[in-house]
Amino acid sequence: MGGWMMEVGRMALYMTFPVAMFHWFNQPEYFEKWVTETKRQIYPPENKEHREAVENCIRTLREKKDRELLAALEELERKEKQ
């Protein structure tokens, strides 16, 4: 086998490698750059035209639902009067 010097060298490598990787990947500049890029990929900047289209769609769906509810209430009132 290698002896005690090889074991000390291996132990130093086993302890140094994770600490070095932790130090390397947790630098504020690297971390901030990575977080910013990932956030932009997941949540792209909002487009005003898309936002308006979504709001218009929501508005038309609500109006349609309101008309349906109003028609159902009027029909219910007619049935009660008869």
Coordinates of all heavy atoms in Angstrom, one line a residue:
M1 N 0.8 -1.2 0.0 CA 0.0 0.0 0.0 C 0.9 1.3 0.0 O 2.1 1.2 0.0 CB -0.9 0.0 1.2 CG -2.0 -1.1 1.1 SD -3.2 -0.5 0.0 CE -4.4 -1.7 0.0
G2 N 0.2 2.4 0.1 CA 1.0 3.7 0.0 C 1.6 4.2 1.2 O 2.5 5.0 1.2
G3 N 1.1 3.8 2.3 CA 1.7 4.3 3.6 C 0.9 5.5 4.1 O -0.1 6.0 3.6
W4 N 1.4 6.1 5.2 CA 0.7 7.2 5.9 C 0.8 8.5 5.1 O -0.2 9.3 5.1 CB 1.3 7.4 7.3 CG 2.7 7.9 7.3 CD1 3.8 7.2 7.3 CD2 3.0 9.3 7.3 NE1 4.9 8.0 7.3 CE2 4.5 9.3 7.4 CE3 2.3 10.5 7.4 CZ2 5.1 10.5 7.4 CZ3 3.0 11.7 7.4 CH2 4.4 11.7 7.4
M5 N 1.8 8.7 4.2 CA 1.9 9.9 3.5 C 0.8 10.0 2.4 O 0.2 11.0 2.1 CB 3.3 10.1 2.8 CG 4.3 10.4 3.9 SD 6.0 10.5 3.2 CE 5.9 11.8 2.1
M6 N 0.5 8.8 1.8 CA -0.5 8.7 0.8 C -1.9 9.0 1.4 O -2.7 9.6 0.9 CB -0.5 7.4 0.1 CG -1.5 7.3 -1.0 SD -1.2 5.7 -1.9 CE -2.7 5.6 -2.8
E7 N -2.1 8.4 2.6 CA -3.4 8.6 3.3 C -3.6 10.1 3.7 O -4.7 10.6 3.6 CB -3.4 7.7 4.6 CG -3.5 6.2 4.3 CD -4.7 5.9 3.5 OE1 -5.8 6.4 3.8 OE2 -4.6 5.0 2.6
V8 N -2.5 10.7 4.1 CA -2.6 12.1 4.5 C -2.9 13.0 3.2 O -3.8 13.9 3.2 CB -1.3 12.6 5.2 CG1 -1.3 14.2 5.3 CG2 -1.1 12.0 6.5
G9 N -2.3 12.6 2.1 CA -2.6 13.3 0.9 C -4.0 13.1 0.4 O -4.7 14.1 0.0
R10 N -4.5 11.9 0.5 CA -5.9 11.6 0.1 C -6.8 12.4 1.0 O -7.8 12.9 0.5 CB -6.1 10.1 0.2 CG -6.1 9.4 -1.1 CD -6.8 8.1 -1.1 NE -5.8 7.1 -0.8 CZ -6.2 5.8 -0.5 NH1 -7.4 5.5 -0.4 NH2 -5.3 4.9 -0.3
M11 N -6.6 12.3 2.3 CA -7.5 13.0 3.3 C -7.5 14.5 3.0 O -8.5 15.2 3.0 CB -7.1 12.8 4.7 CG -8.0 13.3 5.7 SD -9.7 12.7 5.5 CE -9.5 11.0 5.9
A12 N -6.3 15.1 2.7 CA -6.2 16.5 2.3 C -7.1 16.8 1.1 O -7.8 17.8 1.0 CB -4.8 16.9 2.1
L13 N -7.0 15.9 0.1 CA -7.7 16.1 -1.2 C -9.2 16.0 -0.9 O -10.0 16.8 -1.4 CB -7.3 15.1 -2.2 CG -8.1 15.1 -3.5 CD1 -7.7 16.4 -4.2 CD2 -7.7 14.0 -4.4
Y14 N -9.6 15.0 -0.1 CA -11.0 14.8 0.3 C -11.6 16.0 1.0 O -12.8 16.3 0.9 CB -11.2 13.6 1.1 CG -11.0 12.2 0.4 CD1 -10.6 11.1 1.2 CD2 -11.1 12.1 -0.9 CE1 -10.4 9.9 0.6 CE2 -10.8 10.9 -1.6 CZ -10.5 9.8 -0.8 OH -10.3 8.6 -1.4
M15 N -10.8 16.7 1.8 CA -11.3 17.8 2.6 C -11.2 19.1 1.8 O -12.0 20.0 1.9 CB -10.5 17.9 3.9 CG -10.9 16.8 4.8 SD -9.9 16.6 6.3 CE -9.7 18.2 6.9
T16 N -10.2 19.2 0.9 CA -9.9 20.5 0.2 C -10.9 20.6 -1.0 O -11.4 21.7 -1.2 CB -8.5 20.5 -0.3 OG1 -7.6 20.3 0.8 CG2 -8.2 21.8 -1.0
F17 N -11.2 19.6 -1.7 CA -12.0 19.7 -2.9 C -13.4 20.2 -2.6 O -13.8 21.2 -3.3 CB -12.1 18.3 -3.6 CG -12.9 18.3 -4.9 CD1 -12.3 18.9 -6.0 CD2 -14.2 17.8 -4.9 CE1 -13.1 19.0 -7.2 CE2 -14.9 17.9 -6.1 CZ -14.3 18.4 -7.2
P18 N -14.2 19.7 -1.7 CA -15.5 20.3 -1.4 C -15.4 21.8 -0.9 O -16.3 22.6 -1.3 CB -16.1 19.4 -0.3 CG -15.3 18.2 -0.3 CD -14.0 18.5 -0.9
V19 N -14.4 22.1 -0.1 CA -14.3 23.4 0.4 C -14.0 24.4 -0.8 O -14.5 25.5 -0.9 CB -13.3 23.5 1.5 CG1 -13.0 25.0 1.9 CG2 -13.7 22.7 2.7
A20 N -13.1 23.9 -1.6 CA -12.7 24.8 -2.8 C -13.9 25.0 -3.7 O -14.1 26.1 -4.2 CB -11.5 24.1 -3.5
M21 N -14.7 23.9 -4.0 CA -15.8 24.1 -4.9 C -16.9 25.0 -4.2 O -17.5 25.8 -4.9 CB -16.4 22.7 -5.2 CG -15.6 21.8 -6.1 SD -15.3 22.5 -7.7 CE -13.7 23.1 -7.6
F22 N -17.1 24.8 -2.9 CA -18.0 25.7 -2.2 C -17.6 27.2 -2.4 O -18.4 28.0 -2.6 CB -18.1 25.3 -0.7 CG -19.0 26.2 0.1 CD1 -20.4 26.0 0.0 CD2 -18.5 27.2 0.9 CE1 -21.2 26.8 0.8 CE2 -19.3 28.0 1.6 CZ -20.7 27.8 1.6
H23 N -16.3 27.4 -2.1 CA -15.8 28.8 -2.2 C -15.9 29.3 -3.7 O -16.3 30.4 -3.9 CB -14.3 28.8 -1.8 CG -13.7 30.2 -2.0 ND1 -14.0 31.2 -1.2 CD2 -12.8 30.6 -2.9 CE1 -13.3 32.3 -1.6 NE2 -12.6 31.9 -2.6
W24 N -15.6 28.5 -4.6 CA -15.6 28.9 -6.1 C -17.0 29.3 -6.5 O -17.3 30.3 -7.1 CB -15.1 27.8 -6.9 CG -15.1 28.1 -8.4 CD1 -16.1 27.8 -9.3 CD2 -14.2 28.9 -9.1 NE1 -15.8 28.3 -10.5 CE2 -14.6 29.0 -10.5 CE3 -13.0 29.5 -8.8 CZ2 -13.9 29.7 -11.4 CZ3 -12.3 30.2 -9.8 CH2 -12.8 30.3 -11.1
F25 N -18.0 28.4 -6.2 CA -19.4 28.6 -6.7 C -20.2 29.5 -5.9 O -21.3 29.9 -6.3 CB -20.1 27.3 -6.9 CG -19.6 26.5 -8.1 CD1 -18.8 25.4 -7.9 CD2 -19.9 26.9 -9.3 CE1 -18.3 24.7 -9.0 CE2 -19.4 26.2 -10.4 CZ -18.6 25.1 -10.3
N26 N -19.7 29.9 -4.7 CA -20.5 30.8 -3.9 C -19.9 32.2 -3.8 O -20.2 33.0 -2.9 CB -20.6 30.3 -2.4 CG -21.7 29.2 -2.4 OD1 -22.7 29.3 -2.9 ND2 -21.3 28.1 -1.8
Q27 N -19.2 32.6 -4.9 CA -18.8 34.0 -5.0 C -20.0 34.8 -5.3 O -20.8 34.5 -6.2 CB -17.7 34.1 -6.1 CG -16.4 33.4 -5.8 CD -15.8 33.9 -4.5 OE1 -15.6 35.1 -4.4 NE2 -15.3 33.0 -3.7
P28 N -20.1 36.0 -4.7 CA -21.3 36.8 -4.9 C -21.5 37.2 -6.4 O -22.7 37.2 -6.9 CB -21.1 38.1 -4.1 CG -20.1 37.7 -3.1 CD -19.3 36.6 -3.7
E29 N -20.5 37.5 -7.1 CA -20.6 37.9 -8.5 C -21.2 36.8 -9.4 O -22.1 36.9 -10.2 CB -19.3 38.4 -9.1 CG -18.7 39.6 -8.4 CD -17.9 39.2 -7.2 OE1 -17.4 38.1 -7.2 OE2 -17.7 40.0 -6.3
Y30 N -20.6 35.6 -9.2 CA -21.1 34.4 -9.9 C -22.5 34.1 -9.6 O -23.3 33.8 -10.4 CB -20.2 33.2 -9.6 CG -20.6 32.0 -10.3 CD1 -20.4 31.8 -11.7 CD2 -21.3 31.0 -9.6 CE1 -20.8 30.6 -12.3 CE2 -21.7 29.8 -10.2 CZ -21.5 29.6 -11.5 OH -21.9 28.5 -12.1
F31 N -22.8 34.1 -8.3 CA -24.1 33.7 -7.8 C -25.2 34.7 -8.3 O -26.2 34.4 -8.8 CB -24.2 33.7 -6.3 CG -25.5 33.2 -5.7 CD1 -25.9 31.9 -5.8 CD2 -26.3 34.1 -5.1 CE1 -27.1 31.5 -5.3 CE2 -27.5 33.7 -4.6 CZ -27.9 32.4 -4.7
E32 N -24.9 36.0 -8.2 CA -25.8 37.1 -8.7 C -26.1 37.0 -10.2 O -27.2 37.1 -10.6 CB -25.2 38.4 -8.3 CG -26.2 39.6 -8.6 CD -25.7 40.9 -8.2 OE1 -24.7 40.9 -7.4 OE2 -26.2 41.9 -8.7
K33 N -25.0 36.7 -10.9 CA -25.1 36.6 -12.4 C -26.0 35.4 -12.7 O -26.9 35.4 -13.5 CB -23.8 36.4 -13.0 CG -23.8 36.2 -14.5 CD -22.4 36.0 -15.0 CE -22.4 35.6 -16.5 NZ -21.1 35.2 -17.0
W34 N -25.8 34.2 -12.1 CA -26.5 33.0 -12.3 C -28.0 33.2 -11.9 O -28.9 32.8 -12.7 CB -25.9 31.9 -11.5 CG -26.7 30.6 -11.7 CD1 -26.7 29.7 -12.8 CD2 -27.6 30.0 -10.8 NE1 -27.5 28.7 -12.6 CE2 -28.1 28.8 -11.4 CE3 -28.1 30.4 -9.5 CZ2 -29.1 28.0 -10.7 CZ3 -29.0 29.6 -8.9 CH2 -29.5 28.4 -9.5
V35 N -28.3 33.8 -10.8 CA -29.6 34.0 -10.3 C -30.4 35.0 -11.3 O -31.5 34.7 -11.6 CB -29.7 34.6 -8.9 CG1 -31.0 35.1 -8.5 CG2 -29.2 33.5 -7.9
T36 N -29.7 36.0 -11.7 CA -30.4 37.0 -12.6 C -30.7 36.3 -13.9 O -31.8 36.5 -14.4 CB -29.4 38.2 -12.8 OG1 -29.1 38.7 -11.6 CG2 -30.1 39.2 -13.7
E37 N -29.8 35.5 -14.5 CA -30.1 34.9 -15.8 C -31.2 33.8 -15.6 O -32.1 33.7 -16.5 CB -28.8 34.2 -16.3 CG -27.8 35.2 -16.8 CD -26.5 34.5 -17.2 OE1 -26.4 33.3 -17.2 OE2 -25.5 35.2 -17.6
T38 N -31.2 33.1 -14.6 CA -32.2 32.1 -14.4 C -33.5 32.7 -14.2 O -34.6 32.2 -14.7 CB -31.8 31.2 -13.1 OG1 -30.5 30.6 -13.3 CG2 -32.8 30.1 -13.0
K39 N -33.6 33.8 -13.4 CA -34.9 34.5 -13.2 C -35.4 35.0 -14.5 O -36.6 35.0 -14.7 CB -34.7 35.6 -12.2 CG -35.9 36.3 -11.8 CD -35.7 37.3 -10.7 CE -37.0 38.0 -10.4 NZ -36.8 39.1 -9.4
R40 N -34.6 35.6 -15.3 CA -35.0 36.1 -16.6 C -35.5 35.0 -17.5 O -36.4 35.2 -18.4 CB -33.9 36.9 -17.3 CG -33.7 38.2 -16.7 CD -32.9 39.1 -17.5 NE -32.7 40.4 -16.8 CZ -31.6 41.1 -16.8 NH1 -30.5 40.7 -17.4 NH2 -31.6 42.3 -16.2
Q41 N -34.9 33.8 -17.4 CA -35.4 32.7 -18.3 C -36.8 32.2 -17.8 O -37.7 31.9 -18.6 CB -34.4 31.5 -18.2 CG -33.2 31.8 -19.0 CD -32.2 30.7 -18.8 OE1 -32.4 29.7 -18.1 NE2 -31.0 30.8 -19.5
I42 N -36.9 32.1 -16.5 CA -38.2 31.6 -15.9 C -39.3 32.6 -16.0 O -40.4 32.3 -16.4 CB -38.0 31.2 -14.4 CG1 -37.0 30.0 -14.4 CG2 -39.3 30.8 -13.8 CD1 -36.6 29.5 -13.0
Y43 N -39.0 33.9 -15.6 CA -40.0 35.0 -15.7 C -39.5 36.1 -16.6 O -38.8 37.0 -16.2 CB -40.1 35.6 -14.3 CG -40.5 34.6 -13.2 CD1 -39.6 34.2 -12.3 CD2 -41.8 34.0 -13.2 CE1 -40.0 33.3 -11.3 CE2 -42.1 33.1 -12.2 CZ -41.2 32.7 -11.3 OH -41.6 31.8 -10.3
P44 N -39.8 35.9 -17.9 CA -39.3 37.0 -18.8 C -40.0 38.3 -18.6 O -41.0 38.3 -18.0 CB -39.7 36.4 -20.2 CG -40.8 35.4 -19.9 CD -40.5 34.9 -18.6
P45 N -39.3 39.4 -19.0 CA -39.9 40.7 -18.8 C -41.3 40.8 -19.4 O -41.6 40.2 -20.4 CB -39.0 41.7 -19.5 CG -37.7 40.9 -19.6 CD -38.0 39.5 -19.7
E46 N -42.2 41.5 -18.7 CA -43.6 41.5 -19.1 C -43.8 42.4 -20.4 O -43.2 43.5 -20.5 CB -44.4 42.1 -18.0 CG -45.9 41.7 -18.1 CD -46.6 42.1 -16.8 OE1 -46.6 41.4 -15.8 OE2 -47.3 43.2 -16.9
N47 N -44.6 41.9 -21.3 CA -44.9 42.6 -22.5 C -46.2 43.3 -22.3 O -47.2 42.6 -22.0 CB -44.9 41.7 -23.7 CG -45.0 42.4 -25.0 OD1 -45.3 43.6 -25.1 ND2 -44.8 41.6 -26.1
K48 N -46.3 44.6 -22.6 CA -47.6 45.3 -22.3 C -48.7 44.8 -23.2 O -49.9 44.8 -22.8 CB -47.4 46.8 -22.5 CG -46.5 47.4 -21.4 CD -46.5 48.9 -21.6 CE -45.7 49.5 -20.4 NZ -45.8 50.9 -20.3
E49 N -48.4 44.5 -24.5 CA -49.4 44.0 -25.4 C -50.0 42.7 -24.9 O -51.2 42.5 -25.0 CB -48.8 43.9 -26.8 CG -48.4 45.2 -27.4 CD -47.3 45.0 -28.4 OE1 -46.9 43.9 -28.7 OE2 -47.0 46.0 -29.0
H50 N -49.1 41.8 -24.4 CA -49.6 40.5 -23.9 C -50.5 40.7 -22.7 O -51.5 40.1 -22.5 CB -48.5 39.6 -23.6 CG -47.8 39.1 -24.8 ND1 -46.4 38.8 -24.8 CD2 -48.2 38.9 -26.1 CE1 -46.1 38.4 -26.0 NE2 -47.1 38.4 -26.8
R51 N -50.0 41.6 -21.8 CA -50.8 41.9 -20.6 C -52.2 42.5 -20.9 O -53.2 42.1 -20.3 CB -50.0 43.0 -19.8 CG -50.6 43.4 -18.5 CD -50.5 42.3 -17.5 NE -51.1 42.8 -16.2 CZ -51.3 42.0 -15.2 NH1 -50.9 40.8 -15.2 NH2 -51.8 42.5 -14.1
E52 N -52.3 43.4 -21.9 CA -53.6 43.9 -22.3 C -54.4 42.8 -22.9 O -55.7 42.8 -22.6 CB -53.4 45.0 -23.3 CG -52.8 46.3 -22.7 CD -52.5 47.4 -23.8 OE1 -52.8 47.1 -25.0 OE2 -51.9 48.4 -23.4
A53 N -53.9 41.9 -23.7 CA -54.6 40.8 -24.2 C -55.2 39.9 -23.2 O -56.4 39.5 -23.2 CB -53.8 40.0 -25.2
V54 N -54.4 39.6 -22.1 CA -54.9 38.8 -21.0 C -56.0 39.5 -20.3 O -57.0 38.9 -19.9 CB -53.7 38.4 -20.1 CG1 -54.2 37.8 -18.8 CG2 -52.7 37.5 -20.8
E55 N -55.8 40.8 -20.0 CA -56.8 41.6 -19.3 C -58.1 41.6 -20.1 O -59.2 41.5 -19.5 CB -56.3 43.0 -19.0 CG -55.3 43.0 -17.9 CD -54.7 44.4 -17.6 OE1 -55.0 45.3 -18.4 OE2 -53.9 44.5 -16.7
N56 N -58.0 41.8 -21.4 CA -59.2 41.9 -22.2 C -60.0 40.5 -22.2 O -61.2 40.4 -22.1 CB -58.9 42.2 -23.7 CG -58.5 43.7 -23.8 OD1 -59.0 44.5 -23.0 ND2 -57.8 44.0 -24.8
C57 N -59.2 39.4 -22.2 CA -59.8 38.1 -22.2 C -60.5 37.9 -20.9 O -61.6 37.4 -20.8 CB -58.7 37.1 -22.4 SG -59.3 35.4 -22.4
I58 N -59.8 38.3 -19.8 CA -60.5 38.1 -18.5 C -61.7 39.0 -18.4 O -62.8 38.5 -17.9 CB -59.5 38.5 -17.3 CG1 -58.3 37.5 -17.3 CG2 -60.2 38.7 -16.0 CD1 -57.2 37.9 -16.4
R59 N -61.7 40.2 -18.9 CA -62.9 41.1 -18.9 C -64.0 40.5 -19.7 O -65.2 40.4 -19.2 CB -62.5 42.4 -19.4 CG -63.6 43.5 -19.2 CD -63.1 44.9 -19.7 NE -61.9 45.3 -19.2 CZ -60.7 45.5 -19.9 NH1 -60.7 45.3 -21.2 NH2 -59.6 45.8 -19.4
T60 N -63.7 39.9 -20.9 CA -64.8 39.3 -21.7 C -65.4 38.1 -21.0 O -66.6 37.9 -21.1 CB -64.3 39.0 -23.1 OG1 -63.2 38.2 -23.0 CG2 -64.0 40.2 -23.9
L61 N -64.6 37.3 -20.4 CA -65.1 36.1 -19.7 C -65.9 36.5 -18.5 O -67.0 35.9 -18.3 CB -63.9 35.2 -19.2 CG -63.2 34.5 -20.3 CD1 -62.0 33.7 -19.8 CD2 -64.1 33.5 -21.0
R62 N -65.5 37.5 -17.8 CA -66.4 38.0 -16.6 C -67.7 38.5 -17.1 O -68.7 38.3 -16.5 CB -65.6 39.0 -15.8 CG -64.5 38.5 -15.0 CD -63.9 39.5 -14.1 NE -62.8 38.9 -13.3 CZ -61.9 39.6 -12.7 NH1 -61.8 40.9 -12.9 NH2 -61.0 39.0 -12.0
E63 N -67.7 39.3 -18.2 CA -68.9 39.9 -18.7 C -69.8 38.7 -19.2 O -71.1 38.8 -19.0 CB -68.6 40.8 -19.9 CG -68.0 42.1 -19.4 CD -67.5 43.0 -20.6 OE1 -67.6 42.5 -21.8 OE2 -67.0 44.1 -20.3
K64 N -69.3 37.7 -19.9 CA -70.1 36.6 -20.3 C -70.7 35.9 -19.2 O -71.9 35.5 -19.2 CB -69.2 35.6 -21.1 CG -69.9 34.5 -21.7 CD -69.0 33.5 -22.4 CE -69.7 32.3 -22.9 NZ -68.8 31.3 -23.5
K65 N -69.9 35.6 -18.1 CA -70.4 35.0 -16.9 C -71.5 35.8 -16.2 O -72.5 35.3 -15.8 CB -69.3 34.7 -16.0 CG -69.6 33.8 -14.8 CD -69.9 32.4 -15.3 CE -70.1 31.5 -14.1 NZ -70.5 30.2 -14.5
D66 N -71.3 37.1 -16.2 CA -72.3 38.0 -15.6 C -73.6 37.9 -16.4 O -74.7 37.9 -15.8 CB -71.8 39.4 -15.5 CG -70.7 39.6 -14.5 OD1 -70.6 38.7 -13.6 OD2 -70.0 40.7 -14.5
R67 N -73.5 38.0 -17.7 CA -74.7 37.9 -18.5 C -75.5 36.6 -18.3 O -76.7 36.5 -18.2 CB -74.4 38.0 -20.0 CG -74.2 39.5 -20.4 CD -74.0 39.6 -21.9 NE -72.5 39.7 -22.0 CZ -71.8 39.1 -22.9 NH1 -72.3 38.4 -23.9 NH2 -70.5 39.2 -23.0
E68 N -74.7 35.5 -18.2 CA -75.3 34.2 -18.0 C -76.0 34.1 -16.6 O -77.1 33.6 -16.5 CB -74.3 33.1 -18.0 CG -73.7 32.8 -19.4 CD -72.6 31.8 -19.4 OE1 -72.2 31.3 -18.3 OE2 -72.1 31.5 -20.5
L69 N -75.4 34.7 -15.6 CA -76.0 34.7 -14.3 C -77.2 35.6 -14.2 O -78.2 35.2 -13.6 CB -75.0 35.2 -13.2 CG -73.8 34.3 -12.9 CD1 -72.8 34.9 -11.9 CD2 -74.4 33.0 -12.2
L70 N -77.2 36.7 -14.9 CA -78.3 37.6 -15.0 C -79.5 36.9 -15.7 O -80.6 37.0 -15.3 CB -77.9 38.9 -15.7 CG -79.0 40.0 -15.7 CD1 -79.4 40.4 -14.3 CD2 -78.5 41.2 -16.5
A71 N -79.2 36.2 -16.8 CA -80.3 35.5 -17.5 C -80.9 34.4 -16.6 O -82.1 34.2 -16.6 CB -79.7 34.9 -18.8
A72 N -80.0 33.7 -15.9 CA -80.5 32.7 -15.0 C -81.4 33.3 -13.9 O -82.4 32.7 -13.6 CB -79.3 31.9 -14.4
L73 N -81.0 34.4 -13.3 CA -81.8 35.1 -12.3 C -83.1 35.5 -12.9 O -84.2 35.4 -12.2 CB -81.0 36.2 -11.7 CG -79.9 35.9 -10.7 CD1 -79.1 37.1 -10.3 CD2 -80.5 35.2 -9.5
E74 N -83.1 36.1 -14.1 CA -84.4 36.6 -14.7 C -85.3 35.4 -15.0 O -86.5 35.5 -14.7 CB -84.1 37.3 -16.0 CG -83.4 38.7 -15.7 CD -83.0 39.4 -17.0 OE1 -83.1 38.7 -18.1 OE2 -82.6 40.5 -17.0
E75 N -84.8 34.3 -15.4 CA -85.6 33.1 -15.7 C -86.2 32.6 -14.4 O -87.3 32.2 -14.3 CB -84.7 32.0 -16.3 CG -85.5 30.8 -16.7 CD -84.7 29.8 -17.4 OE1 -83.7 30.2 -18.1 OE2 -85.0 28.6 -17.3
L76 N -85.4 32.6 -13.3 CA -85.8 32.2 -12.0 C -87.0 33.1 -11.5 O -88.0 32.6 -10.9 CB -84.7 32.1 -11.0 CG -85.0 31.6 -9.6 CD1 -85.4 30.1 -9.7 CD2 -83.7 31.8 -8.7
E77 N -86.8 34.4 -11.7 CA -87.9 35.3 -11.3 C -89.2 35.1 -12.1 O -90.3 35.1 -11.5 CB -87.4 36.8 -11.4 CG -86.4 37.2 -10.4 CD -86.0 38.6 -10.7 OE1 -86.4 39.3 -11.6 OE2 -85.1 39.1 -9.9
R78 N -89.0 34.8 -13.4 CA -90.2 34.6 -14.2 C -91.0 33.3 -13.7 O -92.2 33.3 -13.7 CB -89.8 34.4 -15.7 CG -89.8 35.7 -16.4 CD -89.6 35.5 -17.9 NE -88.2 36.0 -18.2 CZ -87.3 35.4 -18.9 NH1 -87.5 34.2 -19.4 NH2 -86.1 35.9 -19.1
K79 N -90.2 32.3 -13.4 CA -90.8 31.0 -12.9 C -91.5 31.2 -11.6 O -92.5 30.7 -11.3 CB -89.7 29.9 -12.8 CG -89.3 29.4 -14.1 CD -88.3 28.3 -13.9 CE -87.8 27.7 -15.2 NZ -86.8 26.7 -15.1
E80 N -90.9 32.1 -10.7 CA -91.5 32.3 -9.4 C -92.8 33.1 -9.5 O -93.8 32.9 -8.8 CB -90.6 33.1 -8.5 CG -89.5 32.2 -8.0 CD -88.5 33.0 -7.1 OE1 -88.6 34.2 -6.9 OE2 -87.6 32.3 -6.5
K81 N -92.9 34.0 -10.5 CA -94.1 34.9 -10.7 C -95.3 34.0 -11.3 O -96.4 34.4 -11.1 CB -93.8 36.0 -11.6 CG -93.0 37.1 -11.0 CD -92.7 38.2 -11.9 CE -91.8 39.3 -11.2 NZ -91.6 40.4 -12.1
Q82 N -95.0 33.0 -12.0 CA -96.0 32.2 -12.6 C -96.7 31.3 -11.7 O -96.7 30.9 -10.7 CB -95.5 31.4 -13.8 CG -95.1 32.2 -14.9 CD -94.5 31.4 -16.0 OE1 -94.4 30.2 -15.9 NE2 -94.2 32.0 -17.1

